[in-house]
Amino acid sequence: MKKINIIQSLVIIGLLITGCTDNFEEINTNPNAPEAVSANLLTSTVTSEITRKLTQEGYSDGNTITQLMAKNNFSGFGQFDWGDQGMWNFFYGILPEISDILEISRAEETKNSTYEGIALTMRALCFANLTDLYGNVPYSEALAGKTEGIFTPVYDDQESIYNGVLQDLSDADVALAKGMKITGVTGDVIYDGNPEQWRKLANSLRLRYLLRISKQRDVSTEMQAILSAGNFIKTNADNAVLIYSGTSNTDSWPESTGRIGGFDEKSLCTTALEYFNTFNDPRLDIWFDRNSDGKWVGIPIGLNQDNARAYDDEYSPSRLDVNLFYYSATDAQAYIIKNSEVQFILAEAAEREIIAGDAATYYNAGVRASLSYWGVSETDINNYLIQPTVAYNGSLELLLTQKTIALWNVDYQGWFNYRRTGLPALKPGPNTLNGSLYPVRFLYPSSEQTLNTANYKAAVEAMGEDNINVKGWWETGTRY
């Protein structure tokens, strides 16, 4: 009897086990945590986070390095006291998500050429920024961890990376030209999945990067072809911008969610004030507030902490406009590239005879686009353009100064232009920690020295040194 009971018990246990394992996967699958993430969810993350990060960097440090703004507290960046800069981790952190969008867009069951074009455009944007900021960086093996198990990637030279960036943008143009629609929620916070608009963005970035390498390479045929095809940003309606909804901290202009003390650390730079006074520029009153004495006052870049605080106490430099850049969660926008930059790219290319066209026409269009974007009336724009100090006279310094102003908040693009052209001329501040030199790159993050030692050393040897004064490939050309 006892033996029979044991056998019956074993049978029952066996049936229970069989019953459990028959639908084990179904029972243990969380329907609210799907293993495969859709392209629209990934696109939402990629387009919003990249656009916000680029603009936030432009606001905090890009404007400082181009001397549109200076800090009266925690002023080390303006002294060129640079350690690890956070853009490395950000870009390499989000590039795998871009790769996932690309993989989904090319898979037979989820194939979509518009998502493919979006992914290629954003991948190019990330790698271009990485190499522009650091020089030689991991590229060909950067994303090979998942597919090939490579977790210590080699560093590629800047020319090779630019070849890849430009190829991605060219491929994006082809993919987006198919005009494939995205059904349902697109996830795209910039153009809502509009392939025509994304095609304009991809080609506008091509114009940016072709001009960037034009000291090293004849880019006239490629730039002229883009110009002739006409698929690039031509109006402010085409601008690649993110409009904040203000419904949460994540969807609000970042400064509006911080403390007023942090906001008040940023002031008008004396260099920018000189530009604004020379041009009688209405953007001064849009971006900055008069001080307590009703005056416009700047602060020099590169003061040390003690001198910056003393200067601030004595002169009360003008702060950023508090209503636009602090109290409002939605008035300021984030952006990748705007029409004003594209017009200035074409103006310089025409002036250098890289493309056909009238440089003055493009220059005027660039100035007009920037002022219009910031709400200046058509009448005031016309009056602005006829001023002798503003009217175009063939001067590249005038052109690039106006372009620098128009690049307000556009990540580090003004600094990249300065590094390529030396214009407008920028000088270190009185308490600089870099001697007489104006820096031209960020340092590699310290983590690379410990986690990717051999490839880090090879990159440093190839570039010469790992310091902020080592020029990259596109800066050292001799075509002009």
Side-chain angles (χ1 to χ4, degrees):
M1 187 73 175
K2 185 175 181 181
K3 185 175 180 182
I4 293 173
N5 288 338
I6 293 173
I7 293 172
Q8 288 176 334
S9 297
L10 290 172
V11 170
I12 292 170
I13 292 170
L15 290 171
L16 287 173
I17 292 172
T18 304
C20 289
T21 54
D22 278 349
N23 60 352
F24 178 85
E25 186 174 346
E26 180 181 346
I27 292 172
N28 289 278
T29 298
N30 181 355
N32 297 316
E35 292 181 11
V37 181
S38 62
N40 64 337
L41 291 177
L42 290 167
T43 300
S44 176
T45 299
V46 166
T47 54
S48 61
E49 289 194 9
I50 290 176
T51 310
R52 288 201 305 262
K53 180 65 172 177
L54 289 175
T55 303
Q56 197 166 0
E57 286 289 315
Y59 178 84
S60 60
D61 289 338
N63 288 345
T64 300
I65 195 65
T66 51
Q67 300 189 21
L68 298 176
M69 189 175 75
K71 294 186 75 173
N72 57 69
N73 197 22
F74 301 109
S75 53
F77 185 83
Q79 292 180 264
F80 310 140
D81 181 17
W82 293 357
D84 286 8
Q85 301 295 324
M87 297 293 277
W88 180 284
N89 291 337
F90 171 78
F91 283 125
Y92 282 119
I94 205 161
L95 275 163
E97 298 195 42
I98 298 174
S99 290
D100 288 342
I101 300 172
L102 197 57
E103 184 178 340
I104 293 168
S105 72
R106 290 171 171 172
E108 191 61 38
E109 64 275 15
T110 53
K111 187 176 289 187
N112 187 289
S113 57
T114 296
Y115 274 130
E116 180 182 15
I118 292 172
L120 288 169
T121 301
M122 298 307 272
R123 184 169 74 177
L125 178 67
C126 289
F127 276 119
N129 271 280
L130 279 164
T131 189
D132 289 343
L133 291 168
Y134 297 96
N136 295 358
V137 297
Y139 176 70
S140 58
E141 295 181 352
L143 304 174
K146 177 181 176 181
T147 56
E148 301 175 48
I150 298 174
F151 299 104
T152 53
V154 298
Y155 288 55
D156 296 85
D157 64 87
Q158 198 167 56
E159 182 176 10
S160 298
I161 296 166
Y162 256 88
N163 289 340
V165 164
L166 290 168
Q167 186 61 57
D168 271 355
L169 292 172
S170 179
D171 291 344
D173 176 60
V174 173
L176 294 162
K178 297 175 183 178
M180 189 170 183
K181 294 185 181 300
I182 297 173
T183 57
V185 178
T186 68
D188 168 24
V189 301
I190 301 173
Y191 293 128
D192 195 24
N194 185 323
E196 182 181 354
Q197 292 297 95
W198 271 98
R199 191 180 185 194
K200 291 178 182 179
L201 172 56
N203 284 311
S204 297
L205 291 174
R206 286 174 75 193
L207 291 170
R208 174 195 278 177
Y209 299 136
L210 285 167
L211 184 62
R212 183 149 302 153
I213 67 172
S214 60
K215 287 183 75 171
Q216 281 283 4
R217 185 182 296 174
D218 183 355
V219 298
S220 56
T221 300
E222 292 165 277
M223 291 191 76
Q224 188 64 55
I226 296 169
L227 186 62
S228 299
N231 297 304
F232 58 91
I233 291 172
K234 301 191 189 87
T235 71
N236 284 354
D238 295 331
N239 290 345
V241 301
L242 181 157
I243 300 173
Y244 292 103
S245 66
T247 55
S248 68
N249 283 358
T250 303
D251 296 323
S252 299
W253 169 248
E255 286 296 309
S256 70
T257 65
R259 59 185 181 87
I260 189 66
F263 171 81
D264 279 339
E265 292 168 357
K266 303 172 185 69
S267 300
L268 170 65
C269 185
T270 51
T271 305
L273 181 57
E274 184 178 346
Y275 299 155
F276 291 138
N277 286 338
T278 299
F279 299 142
N280 190 27
D281 201 301
R283 286 167 291 193
L284 171 62
D285 198 23
I286 295 170
W287 295 341
F288 296 94
D289 288 333
R290 295 176 187 269
N291 69 6
S292 55
D293 295 325
K295 299 179 181 178
W296 300 113
V297 178
I299 183 173
I301 190 178
L303 294 177
N304 63 31
Q305 180 73 9
D306 290 341
N307 289 338
R309 296 307 301 150
Y311 190 101
D312 186 69
D313 290 340
E314 182 173 359
Y315 298 105
S316 185
S318 301
R319 300 293 198 264
L320 285 153
D321 185 271
V322 71
N323 290 315
L324 175 58
F325 293 118
Y326 184 72
Y327 287 129
S328 175
T330 58
D331 285 349
Q333 298 176 346
Y335 27 75
I336 293 173
I337 189 171
K338 301 200 298 292
N339 178 38
S340 53
E341 181 184 349
V342 176
Q343 298 303 322
F344 284 121
I345 288 169
L346 298 176
E348 183 185 346
E351 185 61 41
R352 295 192 189 278
E353 299 183 345
I354 296 173
I355 61 170
D358 180 52
T361 300
Y362 290 126
Y363 167 87
N364 289 337
V367 172
R368 188 176 294 279
S370 179
L371 294 175
S372 177
Y373 175 85
W374 291 103
V376 180
S377 71
E378 193 72 14
T379 299
D380 288 343
I381 294 173
N382 292 335
N383 291 334
Y384 180 85
L385 282 167
I386 62 174
Q387 295 179 103
T389 55
V390 176
Y392 189 64
N393 58 5
S395 166
L396 283 169
E397 183 169 10
L398 172 62
L399 191 161
L400 287 159
T401 301
Q402 283 285 351
K403 183 179 181 181
T404 297
I405 297 172
L407 286 169
W408 170 266
N409 285 2
V410 185
D411 57 269
Y412 295 95
Q413 296 306 314
W415 181 41
F416 300 154
N417 283 324
Y418 163 76
R419 286 161 46 188
R420 176 176 59 85
T421 66
L423 298 170
L426 299 172
K427 295 180 180 179
N431 302 133
T432 178
L433 299 176
N434 196 41
S436 61
L437 298 176
Y438 214 79
V440 294
R441 66 179 288 268
F442 286 165
L443 299 173
Y444 290 128
S446 55
S447 59
E448 283 294 289
Q449 300 178 40
T450 55
L451 300 178
N452 195 10
T453 307
N455 291 318
Y456 163 80
K457 289 181 177 179
V460 171
E461 183 178 356
M463 292 186 63
E465 293 180 79
D466 184 14
N467 66 48
I468 61 177
N469 302 311
V470 175
K471 292 184 177 181
W473 166 73
W474 52 256
E475 296 166 80
T476 56
T478 58
R479 294 185 61 83
Y480 56 84

